[in-house]
Amino acid sequence: MLTFVSISDSCILTPAQDWMFSLSAVFLLTANLFVFGINQYNQKKHSEFTEMQLLLQKETDSTEYYKMLLAQNENQSILIHDIKKHLQSIELLNERKDHVKINEYIRQLMLSSDLREISRTCDHELLNAILSRYKRQCNEKRVSFLTDIRSETTDFIADNDLTSLFCNLLDNALEAAGNVQNSFIEINIRKREKTPFVVITVINSCRVTPFTAQSGNLITNKPNRHKHGFGIKSIRKIVSKYNGDIQMYYNNETLTFHTIITLKHSV
């Protein structure tokens, strides 16, 4: 539009040309407003879609956790119902004075998963549900899952941010550790004394460094590389939201990938 005004000032235009310049300026302004409106609409829809996905993820984690609780309670009820039969079998072995088999029988009962208490990793219900789901996935892939989460360290994080942060962290960790023998994933969450900062540390086995040699960027083994990077971007977005910091590095000696996140608890 400034160019049109400059041309009009420096040149003598006919009324038809003036009309054409004015109409072009109006069309350009209308096009800009139209593109701006479409962009705002797309951003709104994208935000709504993201919130819906996080809500569905949260509901899925909670559902899986309570399914585990119900299955555990049912298995314990079945075992209690059958305990009389087990005692009768032990009595028969005792009459035969077969102490070796008695000890083995009792040991099998004691080690039964039906007698174990349901996994409880922290006092935050949603985070506990998320970690329980990933712990089961780790057990299926023979990956050791270790946690040390101090009380009330994640209460200030919104549920949608908590879901997005830990699901993305654990997805990446499980992807890296799933193909390594004797692999592990370790999560530590603690609060720095006399500060408003909470430190989240995730260490996982990783066969090779995930950083490129040239640029130092993270690489992926996923088949669709166009969809790669959104998990890390989501993590960085949440870290920024809580005025935090994130550091990631690879240890060649221990073949482990380290993620250290610091979040600020604003009182």
Side-chain angles (χ1 to χ4, degrees), residues 156-172:
F156 69 99
I157 305 176
D159 286 350
N160 59 328
D161 293 333
L162 192 79
T163 301
S164 182
L165 177 63
F166 282 94
C167 286
N168 281 308
L169 284 172
L170 291 171
D171 279 340
N172 293 337

Side-chain angles (χ1 to χ4, degrees), residues 45-265:
K45 287 298 181 181
H46 178 72
S47 177
E48 291 176 353
F49 177 76
T50 302
E51 291 179 359
M52 182 62 67
Q53 290 293 103
L54 291 174
L55 181 61
L56 290 174
Q57 183 67 58
K58 175 184 174 182
E59 293 296 330
T60 300
D61 289 325
S62 298
T63 301
E64 289 294 326
Y65 176 66
Y66 288 116
K67 281 183 179 179
M68 291 172 61
L69 280 177
L70 291 174
Q72 185 77 6
N73 291 335
E74 182 179 1
N75 291 335
Q76 288 181 353
S77 298
I78 293 173
L79 182 60
I80 292 173
H81 177 267
D82 294 339
I83 197 67
K84 183 177 180 180
K85 299 179 178 63
H86 293 304
L87 291 175
Q88 290 174 345
S89 297
I90 293 174
E91 183 181 15
L92 291 174
L93 293 174
N94 185 54
E95 290 176 355
R96 300 175 185 174
K97 297 183 179 180
D98 195 340
H99 302 296
V100 175
K101 288 187 176 181
I102 291 175
N103 291 334
E104 180 64 22
Y105 200 115
I106 294 175
R107 190 181 68 84
Q108 290 177 358
L109 289 176
M110 294 297 296
L111 294 177
S112 173
S113 60
D114 297 335
L115 288 178
R116 297 176 186 173
E117 295 183 358
I118 196 66
S119 175
R120 188 76 180 178
T121 57
C122 65
D123 56 4
H124 193 290
E125 290 295 333
L126 177 59
L127 181 56
N128 188 66
I130 294 171
L131 296 179
S132 296
R133 181 166 66 89
Y134 280 95
K135 183 176 182 179
R136 185 166 64 176
Q137 292 182 20
C138 287
N139 290 337
E140 293 173 355
K141 294 186 176 183
R142 299 183 183 277
V143 177
S144 298
F145 192 77
L146 310 172
T147 60
D148 182 7
I149 301 173
R150 304 304 168 90
S151 179
E152 299 179 355
T153 51
T154 58
D155 293 347
F156 69 99
I157 305 176
D159 286 350
N160 59 328
D161 293 333
L162 192 79
T163 301
S164 182
L165 177 63
F166 282 94
C167 286
N168 281 308
L169 284 172
L170 291 171
D171 279 340
N172 293 337
L174 189 56
E175 180 185 357
N179 298 321
V180 181
Q181 290 185 350
N182 301 321
S183 59
F184 70 93
I185 297 174
E186 181 179 335
I187 302 176
N188 293 280
I189 305 177
R190 60 183 178 82
K191 186 178 183 300
R192 287 181 178 172
E193 294 296 331
K194 300 180 181 180
T195 70
F197 294 102
V198 170
V199 180
I200 302 171
T201 305
V202 180
I203 305 173
N204 61 270
S205 300
C206 190
R207 190 188 304 276
V208 294
T209 177
F211 296 105
T212 58
Q214 294 81 7
S215 61
N217 295 326
L218 289 170
I219 57 178
T220 181
N221 295 321
K222 295 178 181 178
N224 191 346
R225 294 179 180 270
H226 296 289
K227 295 184 178 180
H228 169 63
F230 291 107
I232 295 296
K233 290 179 180 178
S234 177
I235 293 171
R236 292 187 184 278
K237 181 180 178 181
I238 294 170
V239 171
S240 177
K241 178 180 178 180
Y242 290 89
N243 302 311
D245 178 69
I246 179 171
Q247 298 178 14
M248 294 178 288
Y249 67 92
Y250 182 74
N251 191 319
N252 289 287
E253 295 181 359
T254 59
L255 301 180
T256 53
F257 184 77
H258 299 245
T259 303
I260 303 173
I261 295 175
T262 304
L263 303 179
K264 184 178 181 180
H265 182 189

Side-chain angles (χ1 to χ4, degrees), residues 9-63:
D9 289 341
S10 60
C11 302
I12 299 175
L13 303 176
T14 63
Q17 290 174 329
D18 282 334
W19 180 82
M20 292 176 64
F21 272 110
S22 300
L23 187 61
S24 298
V26 171
F27 276 135
L28 284 174
L29 179 60
T30 304
N32 285 330
L33 293 175
F34 182 70
V35 171
F36 177 77
I38 291 178
N39 183 57
Q40 291 295 107
Y41 176 79
N42 287 337
Q43 287 185 356
K44 181 181 179 182
K45 287 298 181 181
H46 178 72
S47 177
E48 291 176 353
F49 177 76
T50 302
E51 291 179 359
M52 182 62 67
Q53 290 293 103
L54 291 174
L55 181 61
L56 290 174
Q57 183 67 58
K58 175 184 174 182
E59 293 296 330
T60 300
D61 289 325
S62 298
T63 301

